[in-house]
């Protein structure tokens, strides 16, 4: 959407947009002002308090998802000596908003003879686990929506649900191309889910808990105390499996354009397609956040326990967590600009014949290290 197209859109829907902004502004003031004044009373109403915390997590998350698409186009543009989006707003900052408006205005076309109910529900099944997983992800030792004991088990259960959205989308579309893409993607996700699960078992053994807060606290010390060092093979397996799980390059064979058009979502359009698109990027941020929490010390400072610790005591822990998430998310974008797409047989071989044996061997070695009490990680 160029500047001219955006101006035409704003001119055409000027009244509707102004009314929408007015209503949103009035509702925001009507909710925020009493909310601040009666905050202590609201905290006593458990359901309302939880809903507010959910909104506080999901709104920034969806903004991060939208602007991750912009960051990807910009970063890859710079790597390929291009400019990237620069036409909508200053430096192209409004490009995600323009994309959202365009997709909202597009018609959702349901293919003939497709299963309408399954066709509509498939995108929801893809994005729901990626959002629901944030319920147990801690931002600090106290800032977490639900600090349950088995949070790692909850994450494993939810992330394995995403494959159902892919399979149902391919099946419900009544298209051979979509179904072939769904089968490819499902086989790939299931293959790498096993290696990813074994990697998380390694974190469980090292941390001695299924609770993510306790896993982060088990990494107290400098960056050499974080689990990336003793669990380096599992860290690499986990992150590469995460790239494969999200169908990102170089593992994006489910979207092999030259072979099966666009994969399992080939028949989707408008916001139904946008939800699949958002699910992919939400999963990228989720994988990056889990990698930061389980292997990179979460909100812990990299200078903890070093000579530089007094200089960085003023930095809040949530800043370190967001910085680590950003770095891990950047690798997703870097991989896409760097590596060519693998053949499907190479992807399957990597998952079954390389990653799974590596994780099993390392789990045995880690178990021996725990029994021997090798410090500073397993003492």
């Amino acid at each position: 959407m160029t500047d001219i197209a955006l101006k035409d859109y704003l001119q055409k829907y000027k009244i509707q947009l102004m009314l929408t902004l007015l209503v949103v502004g009035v509702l925001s003031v009507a909710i925020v002002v009493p909310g601040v004044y009666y905050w202590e009373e609201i905290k006593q109403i458990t359901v309302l308090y939880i809903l507010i915390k959910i909104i506080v997590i999901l709104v920034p998350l969806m903004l991060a998802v939208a602007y991750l698409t912009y960051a990807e186009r910009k970063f890859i543009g710079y790597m390929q000596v291009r400019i990237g989006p620069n036409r909508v707003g200053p430096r192209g900052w409004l490009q995600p908003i323009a994309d959202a408006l365009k997709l909202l205005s597009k018609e959702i076309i349901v293919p003939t003879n497709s299963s309408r109910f399954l066709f509509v529900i498939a995108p929801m099944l893809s994005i729901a686990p990626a959002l629901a997983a944030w319920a147990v992800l801690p931002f600090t030792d106290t800032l977490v929506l639900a600090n349950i004991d088995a949070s790692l088990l909850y994450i494993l259960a939810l992330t394995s649900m995403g494959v159902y959205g892919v399979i149902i989308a391919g099946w419900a579309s009544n298209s051979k191309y979509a179904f072939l893409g769904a089968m490819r993607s499902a086989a790939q996700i299931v293959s790498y889910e096993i290696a990813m699960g074994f990697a998380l078992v390694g974190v469980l053994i090292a941390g001695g808990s299924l609770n993510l807060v306790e896993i982060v606290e088990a990494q107290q010390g400098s960056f050499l105390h974080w689990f990336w060092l003793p669990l380096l093979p599992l860290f690499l397996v986990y992150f590469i499996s995460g790239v494969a799980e999200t169908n990102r390059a170089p593992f994006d064979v489910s979207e092999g354009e030259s072979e099966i058009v666009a994969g399992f979502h080939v028949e989707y359009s408008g916001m139904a397609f946008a939800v699949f698109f958002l699910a992919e990027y939400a999963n990228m941020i989720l994988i990056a956040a889990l990698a930061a929490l389980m292997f990179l010390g979460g909100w812990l400072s990299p200078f903890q326990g070093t000579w530089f610790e007094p200089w960085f005591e003023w930095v809040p822990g949530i800043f370190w967590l967001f910085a680590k998430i950003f770095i891990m998310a950047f690798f997703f974008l870097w991989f896409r600009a760097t590596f060519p797409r693998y053949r499907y047989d190479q992807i399957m071989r990597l998952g079954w014949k390389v990653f799974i044996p590596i994780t099993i061997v390392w789990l045995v070695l880690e178990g021996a290290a725990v029994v021997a009490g090798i410090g500073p990680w397993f003492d």
Side-chain angles (χ1 to χ4, degrees):
M1 189 180 284
T2 62
D3 281 341
I4 296 174
L6 184 61
K7 288 176 183 176
D8 291 341
Y9 184 91
L10 293 175
Q11 187 66 31
K12 183 178 179 181
Y13 297 104
K14 179 169 64 176
I15 297 175
Q16 292 92 326
L17 289 170
M18 288 176 64
L19 286 173
T20 303
L21 290 173
L22 180 62
V23 170
V24 171
V26 171
L27 287 175
S28 300
V29 172
I31 292 171
V32 172
V33 173
V36 172
Y37 189 76
Y38 295 105
W39 180 243
E40 292 302 322
E41 288 79 358
I42 288 174
K43 288 174 72 174
Q44 305 303 316
I45 308 173
T46 307
V47 175
L48 184 58
Y49 183 49
I50 291 173
L51 284 175
I52 290 172
K53 291 198 289 185
I54 291 171
I55 292 170
V56 169
I57 292 172
L58 287 187
V59 171
L61 176 61
M62 296 312 295
L63 284 173
V65 167
Y67 276 90
L68 184 58
T69 65
Y70 170 78
E72 177 175 34
R73 296 169 69 179
K74 273 291 187 184
F75 287 150
I76 294 178
Y78 291 145
M79 290 176 185
Q80 297 172 348
V81 199
R82 295 185 289 106
I83 297 174
N86 69 335
R87 307 299 297 172
V88 185
R91 298 180 179 273
W93 291 341
L94 298 180
Q95 186 65 52
I97 309 300
D99 292 339
L101 291 174
K102 180 184 72 173
L103 288 166
L104 280 169
S105 62
K106 279 183 171 288
E107 180 184 2
I108 298 176
I109 300 171
V110 180
T112 306
N113 297 327
S114 65
S115 176
R116 190 180 188 90
F117 173 73
L118 294 177
F119 187 84
V120 172
I121 204 173
M124 303 177 198
L125 288 176
S126 288
I127 197 169
L131 300 181
W134 287 86
V136 299
L137 258 67
F139 298 95
T140 66
D141 54 346
T142 55
L143 193 60
V144 55
L145 178 60
N147 189 18
I148 61 176
D149 291 334
S151 50
L152 191 58
L153 188 61
Y154 173 87
I155 293 287
L156 271 172
L158 267 186
T159 51
S160 63
M161 292 288 290
V163 67
Y164 290 106
V166 172
I167 295 173
I168 291 173
W171 171 259
S173 297
N174 190 33
S175 166
K176 299 295 187 294
Y177 291 114
F179 187 63
L180 180 59
M183 290 299 99
R184 278 186 168 195
S185 184
Q188 179 178 319
I189 290 173
V190 170
S191 300
Y192 283 87
E193 189 82 38
I194 298 171
M196 183 181 285
F198 277 134
L200 297 188
V201 170
V203 174
L204 163 64
I205 295 172
S209 173
L210 280 168
N211 183 276
L212 286 171
V213 174
E214 293 180 8
I215 287 172
V216 173
E217 289 176 346
Q219 303 175 62
Q220 293 277 357
S222 69
F223 69 97
L224 295 176
H225 290 71
W226 298 346
F227 289 157
W228 70 269
L229 187 55
L231 306 181
L232 183 58
L234 299 185
F235 177 37
L236 296 176
V237 166
Y238 173 80
F239 189 68
I240 296 171
S241 297
V243 176
E245 282 259 312
T246 51
N247 288 319
R248 293 286 300 179
F251 302 101
D252 55 341
V253 291
S254 64
E255 302 168 7
E257 293 87 356
S258 60
E259 307 152 25
I260 50 175
V261 195
F264 60 90
H265 51 62
V266 65
E267 300 293 345
Y268 283 84
S269 60
M271 279 308 295
F273 166 75
V275 171
F276 274 122
F277 196 68
L278 292 174
E280 178 181 318
Y281 283 81
N283 276 310
M284 288 166 55
I285 298 177
L286 177 62
I287 295 294
L290 287 171
L293 287 168
M294 294 187 297
F295 295 100
L296 301 177
W299 56 84
L300 301 178
S301 168
F303 304 103
Q304 189 180 45
T306 67
W307 292 98
F308 303 103
E309 183 177 4
W311 298 358
F312 294 94
E313 282 182 339
W314 59 273
V315 181
I318 197 169
F319 170 81
W320 294 118
L321 177 62
F322 287 161
K324 293 167 188 175
I325 293 173
F326 176 82
I327 292 170
M328 298 309 296
F330 174 74
F331 280 109
F332 279 94
L333 316 183
W334 193 2
F335 290 168
R336 181 173 180 179
T338 306
F339 298 111
R341 181 181 291 147
Y342 281 114
R343 290 199 321 265
Y344 194 71
D345 63 302
Q346 292 174 326
I347 291 176
M348 290 293 104
R349 187 185 305 116
L350 180 66
W352 287 101
K353 294 186 176 181
V354 178
F355 281 179
I356 292 177
I358 286 175
T359 53
I360 292 174
V361 169
W362 205 259
L363 286 177
V364 173
L365 294 175
E366 184 185 356
V370 171
V371 172
I374 298 176
W377 311 284
F378 309 122
D379 52 4

